Amino acid sequence: VPVVKGLKIIADCSEHVSIKSFFQFLYYEMDSGQLLSSAMNTTGRLMPEVAALVHVGEEAGFLGGSLEKASM
């Protein structure tokens, strides 16, 4: 599943207002051409180190691995 589509699915399925709005924001930012790491930085909800780790994954073509590491 592409990342943008996955974000949309999570946003649509979430019943928790805060989580829903977070993933909606990420979805809209990415849908308009922003990098996931850039959108994550903009939210202010995540540590900058998490967004930096995601950015490295985006640049290296290893986003899945970076997201996995960020989740730990």
Side-chain angles (χ1 to χ4, degrees):
V1 174
V3 174
V4 176
K5 186 174 182 177
L7 292 171
K8 177 85 168 114
I9 291 168
I10 294 168
D12 289 346
C13 293
S14 180
E15 294 180 10
H16 191 279
V17 175
S18 180
I19 292 172
K20 184 179 198 76
S21 68
F22 176 73
F23 282 99
Q24 282 175 331
F25 177 81
L26 293 179
Y27 165 75
Y28 289 125
E29 290 294 301
M30 285 196 70
D31 197 46
S32 68
Q34 293 295 318
L35 292 174
L36 177 59
S37 59
S38 206
M40 291 170 100
N41 267 330
T42 305
T43 68
R45 291 183 173 183
L46 300 169
M47 296 185 322
E49 295 83 4
V50 173
L53 182 62
V54 170
H55 183 71
V56 168
E58 290 169 327
E59 293 294 317
F62 193 62
L63 181 58
S66 289
L67 290 171
E68 199 170 311
K69 285 183 193 264
S71 72
M72 295 180 181

